[in-house]
Amino acid sequence: MQRICLFLTVILFNSCEYFNVKKTSSEVILKEELQSFKWNEVDEYPTFSICKNSSSKFETKQCFEKTITDAITTQLSTESIIVTQDIEDTIYIKFQISDKGEISVLEIKTNSITSQEIPNIEDLLESGLDSLPKIFPAIKRSQKVKTEFTLPIVINVN
């Protein structure tokens, strides 16, 4: 009988460890979450109403980029650009889509020859972006977020 009581007592003292709750501070949880967070990825890319039918994130991104490229190309094709020498350049447009769906140009990188031959190229590109339909912002964890993109535009003028 004593052995049984001793055995139960030992088990009782050792079992108290099972009831200890590991205390984790909110700071530790936040730090772990921020380390696992992929800052450069969004759950849903910004999009236009014509891209809502895309089935995957990749297709949505392609539709978004194609819509922007088409708007800029359309704007440039309506202008009569006269140059003294042939231009074959890739222009990089860095822009931001706000969490409200507003687009703003951050930077336009052009070749010096392109800037010299077409001095209003930046205005033409910005007016192409202004002609875009309503933009739905990117979504990350069910929140609308701002995103930045750099889009290459190839210019060939003969």
Side-chain angles (χ1 to χ4, degrees):
M1 186 70 176
Q2 284 181 340
R3 286 185 181 175
I4 292 176
C5 285
L6 181 65
F7 179 70
L8 290 175
T9 306
V10 169
I11 289 179
L12 180 65
F13 284 122
N14 286 335
S15 67
C16 290
E17 290 296 317
Y18 293 114
F19 296 109
N20 283 344
V21 177
K22 182 180 177 184
K23 294 183 181 181
T24 307
S25 70
S26 59
E27 294 170 0
V28 172
I29 293 171
L30 178 64
K31 187 176 180 180
E32 289 174 0
E33 186 68 21
L34 289 175
Q35 288 176 349
S36 67
F37 200 71
K38 295 180 181 176
W39 292 99
N40 293 329
E41 293 182 16
V42 292
D43 298 335
E44 293 180 32
Y45 280 99
T47 188
F48 300 100
S49 59
I50 59 173
C51 299
K52 287 287 188 181
N53 297 331
S54 300
S55 60
S56 70
K57 191 162 84 169
F58 179 74
E59 287 177 5
T60 303
K61 182 180 179 185
Q62 280 186 325
C63 180
F64 175 75
E65 290 174 354
K66 183 180 181 324
T67 304
I68 292 175
T69 304
D70 290 347
I72 292 172
T73 304
T74 301
Q75 177 64 31
L76 291 176
S77 66
T78 61
E79 298 292 323
S80 56
I81 300 172
I82 300 170
V83 294
T84 58
Q85 58 183 324
D86 292 348
I87 297 176
E88 188 174 317
D89 186 20
T90 301
I91 298 173
Y92 294 94
I93 305 172
K94 185 176 182 180
F95 59 93
Q96 182 181 64
I97 309 292
S98 74
D99 58 347
K100 293 175 179 55
E102 299 163 347
I103 190 166
S104 58
V105 176
L106 302 175
E107 181 181 16
I108 297 177
K109 291 183 182 178
T110 62
N111 188 328
S112 61
I113 296 171
T114 305
S115 297
Q116 180 183 355
E117 290 290 324
I118 312 170
N120 64 338
I121 188 71
E122 291 185 10
D123 294 333
L124 295 173
L125 295 171
E126 287 183 16
S127 64
L129 291 174
D130 290 340
S131 68
L132 290 169
K134 180 179 177 359
I135 301 172
F136 298 97
I139 296 176
K140 179 81 170 179
R141 292 189 167 197
S142 302
Q143 298 293 316
K144 295 176 181 177
V145 295
K146 68 179 177 182
T147 50
E148 287 184 9
F149 290 91
T150 301
L151 189 67
I153 303 292
V154 177
I155 303 287
N156 287 320
V157 181
N158 300 337

